[in-house]
Amino acid sequence: MTLQQLKCFLVMVEVLHYTKAANQLYISQPTLSYALSELEKELGVPLFEKKGNRTCITKYGESFTPYVKQIFSTLEDATARLYEMLDASCGKINLGYMYSISFDYVPRMLEKFYADEGNSRITFDFFQGLHSVMIEKLKSANLDLILTADPNDKTIIGAPVFHQELFVIVPENHRLARQDEVSLSDVKDEPLISIGGKASNIRNHLAKCYERIGSKPIIAGEVAECIAMSALVRANLGIAVTPLSPTFEGGRLKVLRFCEKERDALARKIYLLWLKDRQLEPAVKRFRDFIISQTV
């Protein structure tokens, strides 16, 4: 059974006339008759029959028709999807990123990206999650691009796009609350509220920062997101060393910057990452190249 045979069948269903159908298909009448005859042989049933001078469709042909139409409809959809995938001006991008950049960096980059009307038909599916979860989703092809820290994985490549400053969040009655800036040594003995446990990149990053001053973080509690973190800090259960979040606004907390000489060293580098051996669709490449062009 070939697509050409099925196409001959559908045209014949439309016109029920061999000469007209052959003309419409730009083939000879014997070629059309042969194609339909071969199709009937394969199916084992007659699709058309003669009634006097008229050609009529059989009950088998009527039953077969909607399925053949569905085949061509599906084929058209598949073809359209492939053309869409090859068109850099449209398509869908599965983008993953950390919670801590969902409030500022991601919305800002999307606003700039959509400022170009040529990108208006590109859509996104977003995923926010922990570093390790995003790496797994990238490797399983559930995400096209992710914004997170460098995983040091040979199957993943990427480019650094910005440095994320860390801040110290303390309750308003904390001994450091009257200061505007602190050093890591000022807070090294303070109990910390940490996000994400050992699976979190920020936790691993802080451990390396503390190691530089010969210390280790004292983890007083682990939470899944910033809202819980701010609530526990407000309750005087610990402080936080973290990127900024709107959840730290609104009173009873004080946001402190690290002193200028430590600020850059404590900041963590955020990367745009993609799988090394995966072929990216043109729209994904377009967004990837845009983000890299905005590197600061």
Side-chain angles (χ1 to χ4, degrees):
M1 188 182 303
T2 67
L3 285 176
Q4 180 63 22
Q5 289 172 339
L6 295 177
K7 188 175 182 181
C8 289
F9 169 76
L10 282 185
V11 173
M12 190 63 185
V13 168
E14 235 179 83
V15 299
L16 291 175
H17 192 285
Y18 280 89
T19 302
K20 290 180 180 178
N23 289 338
Q24 194 168 318
L25 290 162
Y26 299 101
I27 59 176
S28 67
Q29 187 172 324
T31 300
L32 172 64
S33 298
Y34 178 77
L36 293 175
S37 175
E38 289 297 300
L39 182 58
E40 289 176 329
K41 283 180 186 178
E42 185 171 345
L43 295 172
V45 295
L47 299 172
F48 301 96
E49 60 185 355
K50 281 282 189 179
K51 289 186 178 179
N53 292 326
R54 293 168 50 235
T55 299
C56 301
I57 189 169
T58 67
K59 63 180 180 180
Y60 303 110
E62 288 179 350
S63 180
F64 190 50
T65 299
Y67 295 100
V68 179
K69 287 182 177 179
Q70 183 61 51
I71 288 171
F72 281 95
S73 176
T74 301
L75 187 59
E76 286 177 7
D77 291 344
T79 303
R81 173 59 182 145
L82 289 179
Y83 285 140
E84 181 181 287
M85 290 172 67
L86 292 171
D87 185 355
S89 68
C90 65
K92 184 168 69 175
I93 301 168
N94 296 303
L95 176 66
Y97 49 88
M98 302 177 300
Y99 294 105
S100 61
I101 65 172
S102 64
F103 310 105
D104 52 4
Y105 180 79
V106 171
R108 187 169 70 252
M109 289 300 104
L110 289 173
E111 184 178 8
K112 288 185 177 181
F113 183 67
Y114 281 127
D116 181 346
E117 291 186 3
N119 297 328
S120 62
R121 293 191 297 152
I122 295 175
T123 60
F124 288 84
D125 269 354
F126 300 112
F127 176 82
Q128 297 176 53
L130 295 175
H131 172 81
S132 59
V133 177
M134 286 193 293
I135 295 296
E136 288 177 10
K137 286 186 173 290
L138 182 67
K139 288 186 173 184
S140 62
N142 289 314
L143 293 173
D144 300 312
L145 301 168
I146 60 175
L147 286 156
T148 185
D150 184 3
N152 273 332
D153 188 318
K154 291 182 179 178
T155 67
I156 295 173
I157 57 175
V161 288
F162 75 100
H163 285 79
Q164 185 180 50
E165 185 178 349
L166 298 184
F167 296 80
V168 177
I169 315 299
V170 299
E172 62 183 359
N173 59 353
H174 192 273
R175 64 181 178 86
L176 296 173
R178 293 183 181 179
Q179 299 180 207
D180 293 321
E181 294 184 353
V182 293
S183 69
L184 189 59
S185 296
D186 292 332
V187 298
K188 67 181 179 65
D189 296 322
E190 294 283 341
L192 288 182
I193 306 300
S194 173
I195 283 186
K198 293 180 180 179
S200 168
N201 174 263
I202 188 70
R203 169 81 172 267
N204 297 329
H205 176 76
L206 285 177
K208 291 176 183 177
C209 292
Y210 274 68
E211 192 176 322
R212 290 183 205 139
I213 60 170
S215 185
K216 291 184 179 180
I218 302 170
I219 306 301
E222 295 176 348
V223 295
E225 37 70 36
C226 296
I227 295 176
M229 173 184 274
S230 63
L232 294 182
V233 174
R234 283 189 177 95
N236 287 288
L237 297 179
I239 70 167
V241 179
T242 177
L244 272 187
S245 160
T247 58
F248 303 135
E249 300 172 358
R252 295 180 56 198
L253 293 177
K254 178 70 181 290
V255 177
L256 309 173
R257 295 188 81 181
F258 281 107
C259 55
E260 190 172 354
K261 65 180 181 179
E262 292 185 1
R263 204 170 291 160
D264 290 341
L266 293 175
R268 80 177 158 163
K269 195 177 291 185
I270 304 301
Y271 287 74
L272 180 67
L273 304 172
W274 59 93
L275 276 184
K276 182 178 181 180
D277 295 325
R278 183 181 175 192
Q279 182 67 38
L280 300 180
E281 294 179 15
V284 177
K285 290 181 180 177
R286 186 168 184 159
F287 183 70
R288 178 198 64 185
D289 294 345
F290 166 79
I291 291 295
I292 292 173
S293 74
Q294 302 296 309
T295 298
V296 293

